[in-house]
Amino acid sequence: MAKAAEAPSGTRDLFADEVRRRKAAFDRLAQVFEHYGFDPLETPAFERLETFAGKLGDEAAALIFKILKRGVHEASGEADLALRYDHTVPFVRVIGTHGGKLPTPYKRYTIGPVWRADRPARGRFREFVQCDIDTAGASSILADAEILFAINEGLEALGIEDFQFQLNSRQALYGLLEAYEIPADHGGRVLGTLDKLDKASPDAVAAELADRGVSSAIAESLVADVLAADTDRVRARLDTTEQGKAGIAQVDDLLRMADDLPAGRARFNPRMVRGLDYYTGAIFEVEAPGYPGSIASGGRYDGLVAQLGGPDMPACGGSIGVERILAIQESGHQQHRGLDVALTVLGAQDEIMRLASQLRRRGLRTGIYLGSSGKLAKQLKWANEQHARWVVLYGPQEQSEGEVTVRDMESGEQIRIAIGEVAEQMSRRIEQP
Amino acid sequence: MAKAAEAPSGTRDLFADEVRRRKAAFDRLAQVFEHYGFDPLETPAFERLETFAGKLGDEAAALIFKILKRGVHEASGEADLALRYDHTVPFVRVIGTHGGKLPTPYKRYTIGPVWRADRPARGRFREFVQCDIDTAGASSILADAEILFAINEGLEALGIEDFQFQLNSRQALYGLLEAYEIPADHGGRVLGTLDKLDKASPDAVAAELADRGVSSAIAESLVADVLAADTDRVRARLDTTEQGKAGIAQVDDLLRMADDLPAGRARFNPRMVRGLDYYTGAIFEVEAPGYPGSIASGGRYDGLVAQLGGPDMPACGGSIGVERILAIQESGHQQHRGLDVALTVLGAQDEIMRLASQLRRRGLRTGIYLGSSGKLAKQLKWANEQHARWVVLYGPQEQSEGEVTVRDMESGEQIRIAIGEVAEQMSRRIEQP
């Protein structure tokens, strides 16, 4: 009985200030993506269970919320639907469903909740918003650049001033392996080890590489390549293979196009790998002081649409970690949206209601005292709790004179206004406080 | 395999124009409710299954989407969570969870999806948006009036010009039964029969009343009361009981306050019952020509919060049938959001990308040709498909002269602009077309 009164584990009730703050952030992001020519797409909260089958790794699949069959099939205990785990699988499903009717290339953004049965923890929820942009059907580096620029402007729109794109390319990484003649079937694990250089010492990483069958001379050289303060050393290495050349060309194209961005906004990071296997071309991660981990990431994933059951088409995309950003910003953005005008009720209900309508139609956030107390002190206490900017009093004396008393709740000052002019005068005061 | 590529039965993928149109409608409604001092509330997509237990009738309970337990408990085939069926049960649960921390009275609005495993049909979906406003903790008729006015302004904000509130009161209905000495335990069924007068003939309804144990003289008089063109007859009847007097007083309070609304916007309809049992005071339904059924409804439900497990507090609310309204309006509101500017790519990628950034930062929806064709004709075809207003050409000749050619896609006219001035000039043209 007690539990029935709680929100489910790992979920939140979002109240006024938080809903408004989140909506404002999502709206700003949507506007940026619209300017970039991305189209909004909304898919259902759930997909057929088979849509996810084999499309996520085992670890992810275990976190899917499954929906029981309905009606007479409920007793079977079987599931046929699943809450969406991310926006990528539904995006690819949509390309499969609507393919020919979609524009080419298809550029879409989605800002909406996903659900994961993760172990709840501080700041980790089972329902959280993901913000994705993707372009399917374009192999041009301009498509990669658009994603990067849109993410850049999205982060600026969220008020983040200081951040940096780490750029790399999967081809550059494979080119590097090729330059050292590391066999392709070792490649994934070797890159996974290199990815640890942010946390582990160069020696530890070199040792792990040696464990993976890389000679210790090569392991040390490889680590030194990607850690060198300037990138000339690794560039020279990449220049020895076709893959390496292609990869560094992608990175340089992006760096050149990003030349107009604030100095240092983007840099080539030869040891940035990105965990997910499916990337095939340019990749990026965004870091910002004061934010743990990366606040945005993305890249090109040319094989994934076909692999997830869609047509064979190139694609690239990016994602902003908007929940993480909002959580960090939370403390700094506390602001109540109070009432512009609070109307006390000392008789004359009909006139009060009429006055409220007039104020509301002029866009003033207006509250009426709905309690049962006829005492002014109690009504003023309510107005205070509502963070009201002005309070309107309309007692017997005001009524007999066809006026209202308006109290400025900041200064305590009171003025009399003819009742027919209240709405106009108050809306002027709101515009020019 | 084929099915995996389809959206689940009864759900939709919402594409650009529809997402934008829906968002605009929801934003307009939210703004109205904000002006009325309602606060937004967002609850999780799912609640604990026990939160719904015994709170919905059997018919509704059968339509709940249940979520399977996770991890090792999945094999049990048991569910522990359920997608929200409406916004009322979560609203009451929130009052139970956060009670003391909420303002008094608590006025909230919610515009968000609910899920029902209804048999899919044309215009009936398993995922659809409900738009609710409710006030808990106020018994004043001003709270009822606020709901009514907010719904009125919400419908106007949706562009509905001609609609009418049917007003009644549960007390008036019970008073009417009392005046005819119809026993209280018959009351519900008698009112249910009266409610059929919109579809069935007076004789058929009188006959059904007689079946329910009402004498045929009383049945005929009762039907004549509520069908009479003017309401004096039923008012005289209501005046004979305390309940009836209280009920008609509520209706008259609301009618008087609604006096400022367009003529005929609200009327007393003594045979309007509202299907749901839980209403206890004033009730309303809104009808509009061209829209089947009612497009909004609501009323006072003082017992429900306690009945659903919350504290004992008065409450009233209303709901706008926004999906129904949007579905009817759909045909009339077709509009593509095309590109403001389409940039062709005839070499000089970096300059094009830079130009795109400048245009986008000025708020112009800007697309870059991302395809592989170097042919202008093909690129212009793409710009056309994108409903582009202007196309920018930047070929070798333009490059050598530091200019771009801008083509007006409506008139076909072409002008040359210095590349440094394109963003400013184009944004001026957009503002003053």
Side-chain angles (χ1 to χ4, degrees):
Chain A
M1 203 56 199
K3 282 223 162 181
E6 287 172 28
S9 164
T11 68
R12 298 164 285 180
D13 295 317
L14 297 170
F15 290 99
D17 296 323
E18 208 163 355
V19 174
R20 290 190 197 109
R21 193 168 67 90
R22 292 166 65 88
K23 182 178 184 323
F26 302 151
D27 282 358
R28 282 195 297 271
L29 287 172
Q31 195 178 33
V32 168
F33 302 148
E34 290 277 355
H35 292 162
Y36 274 78
F38 289 85
D39 278 334
L41 169 69
E42 283 181 20
T43 61
F46 48 71
E47 295 282 342
R48 293 172 193 276
L49 191 53
E50 62 206 274
T51 300
F52 289 101
K55 312 254 168 88
L56 300 165
D58 288 347
E59 209 174 315
L63 302 183
I64 289 183
F65 283 102
K66 295 174 186 165
I67 297 173
L68 213 50
K69 288 183 176 177
R70 290 144 308 279
V72 293
H73 307 293
E74 185 179 316
S76 71
E78 285 171 23
D80 62 344
L81 301 170
L83 291 183
R84 65 177 176 239
Y85 174 89
D86 65 14
H87 293 309
T88 306
V89 169
F91 172 58
V92 169
R93 198 267 304 145
V94 162
I95 293 174
T97 316
H98 305 276
K101 283 174 280 174
L102 299 173
T104 312
Y106 181 48
K107 293 167 56 177
R108 83 88 180 79
Y109 70 90
T110 293
I111 304 170
V114 299
W115 295 269
R116 297 181 183 178
D118 239 321
R119 188 178 294 275
R122 191 177 157 74
R124 191 168 60 194
F125 296 101
R126 293 180 152 195
E127 171 178 76
F128 60 96
V129 166
Q130 278 200 338
C131 163
D132 280 21
I133 56 173
D134 293 273
T135 299
S139 43
S140 164
I141 190 78
L142 290 176
D144 300 77
E146 259 192 353
I147 298 285
L148 194 142
F149 277 74
I151 298 276
N152 176 70
E153 219 172 307
L155 292 172
E156 287 179 359
L158 292 179
I160 302 177
E161 282 159 16
D162 186 15
F163 58 91
Q164 187 175 54
F165 281 87
Q166 314 286 321
L167 300 181
N168 201 359
S169 157
R170 276 292 159 101
Q171 266 110 317
L173 288 163
Y174 295 133
L176 196 57
L177 298 180
E178 193 186 338
Y180 282 108
E181 295 179 350
I182 295 170
D185 57 342
H186 268 56
R189 271 168 297 162
V190 170
L191 296 180
T193 302
L194 273 190
D195 204 18
K196 297 183 183 170
L197 277 170
D198 279 336
K199 292 162 205 152
S201 74
D203 288 350
V205 169
E208 189 177 317
L209 285 174
D211 285 350
R212 300 212 175 283
V214 178
S215 81
S216 61
I218 288 181
E220 276 166 37
S221 178
L222 186 53
V223 168
D225 279 356
V226 298
L227 277 181
D230 89 40
T231 58
D232 288 354
R233 184 182 158 139
V234 73
R235 284 174 178 275
R237 194 84 59 190
L238 290 170
D239 214 32
T240 64
T241 72
E242 289 310 308
Q243 274 198 105
K245 279 185 208 169
I248 198 72
Q250 290 158 12
V251 171
D252 283 339
D253 277 352
L254 293 176
L255 284 174
R256 219 178 43 245
M257 287 191 255
D259 208 33
D260 272 1
L261 299 183
R265 178 59 55 88
R267 75 175 186 101
F268 170 37
N269 180 347
R271 67 175 185 275
M272 198 271 292
V273 170
R274 298 275 312 127
L276 287 163
D277 274 340
Y278 57 67
Y279 290 112
T280 57
I283 51 178
F284 67 86
E285 267 181 22
V286 183
E287 290 167 8
Y291 294 85
S294 63
I295 57 172
S297 62
R300 177 164 288 280
Y301 53 92
D302 283 346
L304 190 69
V305 177
Q307 192 184 318
L308 292 184
D312 183 15
M313 50 164 64
C316 56
S319 174
I320 292 180
V322 66
E323 287 282 357
R324 190 177 299 186
I325 292 168
L326 289 172
I328 298 278
Q329 290 180 338
E330 194 162 9
S331 49
H333 278 69
Q334 288 295 7
Q335 51 174 32
H336 282 291
R337 179 164 190 195
L339 293 177
D340 294 323
V341 187
L343 299 177
T344 56
V345 181
L346 308 160
Q349 295 193 347
D350 295 7
E351 281 70 32
I352 291 293
M353 203 70 210
R354 193 162 299 136
L355 190 50
S357 279
Q358 291 165 6
L359 291 163
R360 286 160 170 168
R361 282 188 185 271
R362 283 178 184 266
L364 300 191
R365 184 162 155 90
T366 303
I368 301 174
Y369 178 71
L370 298 176
S372 54
S373 171
K375 289 188 183 140
L376 183 58
K378 201 134 190 201
Q379 299 201 14
L380 287 175
K381 183 166 171 282
W382 160 80
N384 236 328
E385 287 165 1
Q386 296 288 318
H387 305 277
R389 182 69 186 76
W390 280 281
V391 172
V392 169
L393 311 171
Y394 187 56
Q397 205 193 329
E398 284 94 347
Q399 287 173 45
S400 70
E401 294 168 19
E403 295 185 333
V404 304
T405 298
V406 177
R407 181 182 292 186
D408 182 327
M409 294 294 272
E410 275 175 21
S411 66
E413 204 185 332
Q414 294 197 161
I415 51 167
R416 284 287 198 100
I417 304 180
I419 191 161
E421 289 167 22
V422 174
E424 199 209 320
Q425 286 208 26
M426 296 308 291
S427 70
R428 255 193 291 127
R429 269 160 207 271
I430 288 283
E431 283 166 302
Q432 303 154 351
Chain B
M1 205 54 202
K3 282 223 162 180
E6 286 172 29
S9 164
T11 68
R12 298 163 285 180
D13 296 316
L14 297 170
F15 290 99
D17 296 322
E18 207 162 355
V19 175
R20 290 190 198 110
R21 192 168 68 90
R22 293 166 67 88
K23 182 177 185 323
F26 302 151
D27 281 357
R28 281 195 297 270
L29 287 171
Q31 195 178 33
V32 167
F33 302 148
E34 290 278 355
H35 292 163
Y36 274 77
F38 289 85
D39 278 333
L41 170 69
E42 283 181 20
T43 62
F46 48 72
E47 295 282 343
R48 293 171 192 275
L49 191 53
E50 61 206 276
T51 300
F52 289 101
K55 313 251 167 91
L56 300 165
D58 288 348
E59 209 173 313
L63 302 183
I64 288 183
F65 283 102
K66 295 175 186 163
I67 296 172
L68 212 51
K69 289 182 177 177
R70 291 142 308 278
V72 293
H73 308 292
E74 184 179 314
S76 70
E78 285 171 24
D80 62 345
L81 301 169
L83 290 183
R84 63 176 177 241
Y85 174 89
D86 64 14
H87 294 308
T88 306
V89 170
F91 172 59
V92 170
R93 199 265 306 145
V94 163
I95 293 174
T97 315
H98 306 275
K101 283 174 281 174
L102 298 173
T104 312
Y106 181 47
K107 294 166 56 176
R108 83 89 179 77
Y109 69 89
T110 294
I111 305 169
V114 299
W115 294 270
R116 297 181 184 178
D118 240 322
R119 188 176 295 274
R122 189 177 159 76
R124 191 168 62 196
F125 296 101
R126 295 180 150 195
E127 172 179 74
F128 60 96
V129 166
Q130 277 200 339
C131 163
D132 281 20
I133 57 174
D134 293 273
T135 298
S139 44
S140 165
I141 190 78
L142 290 175
D144 300 78
E146 259 193 354
I147 298 284
L148 195 143
F149 278 75
I151 298 277
N152 176 70
E153 220 173 305
L155 292 172
E156 288 179 358
L158 292 179
I160 303 176
E161 283 159 17
D162 187 14
F163 58 92
Q164 187 175 54
F165 282 86
Q166 314 287 321
L167 300 180
N168 202 359
S169 157
R170 275 291 158 100
Q171 267 110 316
L173 288 163
Y174 296 133
L176 196 58
L177 298 180
E178 193 186 340
Y180 282 108
E181 296 179 349
I182 295 171
D185 58 341
H186 269 56
R189 269 166 299 160
V190 170
L191 295 181
T193 303
L194 273 190
D195 204 19
K196 297 183 182 169
L197 277 170
D198 279 336
K199 292 162 204 153
S201 74
D203 288 350
V205 168
E208 189 176 318
L209 286 173
D211 286 349
R212 301 214 173 282
V214 178
S215 82
S216 61
I218 287 181
E220 274 166 35
S221 179
L222 185 55
V223 167
D225 280 356
V226 300
L227 278 180
D230 88 42
T231 58
D232 288 352
R233 183 181 158 141
V234 73
R235 282 172 179 277
R237 193 85 59 192
L238 290 171
D239 215 31
T240 64
T241 71
E242 291 309 309
Q243 273 200 105
K245 279 185 207 169
I248 198 71
Q250 291 159 10
V251 171
D252 283 339
D253 277 353
L254 293 176
L255 284 174
R256 218 177 45 245
M257 289 191 254
D259 209 34
D260 272 2
L261 300 182
R265 178 60 55 90
R267 76 176 187 99
F268 171 36
N269 180 348
R271 66 176 185 274
M272 197 272 290
V273 171
R274 298 274 313 126
L276 287 162
D277 274 339
Y278 58 68
Y279 289 112
T280 57
I283 52 178
F284 67 87
E285 268 182 21
V286 183
E287 290 167 7
Y291 294 85
S294 62
I295 56 171
S297 62
R300 177 165 288 281
Y301 52 93
D302 282 347
L304 190 68
V305 176
Q307 192 184 316
L308 292 186
D312 183 16
M313 50 164 66
C316 56
S319 172
I320 292 180
V322 65
E323 287 282 358
R324 191 178 299 187
I325 292 169
L326 289 172
I328 297 278
Q329 291 181 338
E330 194 162 9
S331 49
H333 278 70
Q334 288 294 8
Q335 53 174 31
H336 282 291
R337 179 164 191 198
L339 293 176
D340 294 323
V341 187
L343 299 177
T344 56
V345 181
L346 308 161
Q349 295 192 347
D350 295 6
E351 281 70 32
I352 291 293
M353 204 69 210
R354 193 160 300 137
L355 190 50
S357 278
Q358 291 165 7
L359 291 162
R360 286 161 170 167
R361 283 189 184 269
R362 284 178 183 266
L364 301 190
R365 185 163 154 88
T366 304
I368 301 174
Y369 178 71
L370 299 176
S372 53
S373 171
K375 287 188 183 141
L376 183 58
K378 201 133 191 199
Q379 300 200 16
L380 288 176
K381 182 165 172 284
W382 159 80
N384 237 330
E385 285 164 3
Q386 296 288 316
H387 305 278
R389 182 69 186 78
W390 280 282
V391 172
V392 169
L393 310 172
Y394 188 54
Q397 206 192 329
E398 283 93 350
Q399 286 173 45
S400 70
E401 292 168 20
E403 295 185 332
V404 303
T405 298
V406 177
R407 181 182 293 186
D408 182 328
M409 293 297 270
E410 274 174 24
S411 67
E413 205 185 330
Q414 295 197 159
I415 51 167
R416 284 288 197 101
I417 304 179
I419 191 161
E421 290 167 22
V422 174
E424 198 210 321
Q425 286 208 25
M426 295 309 290
S427 70
R428 256 193 290 130
R429 269 159 208 272
I430 289 282
E431 282 166 301
Q432 303 154 350

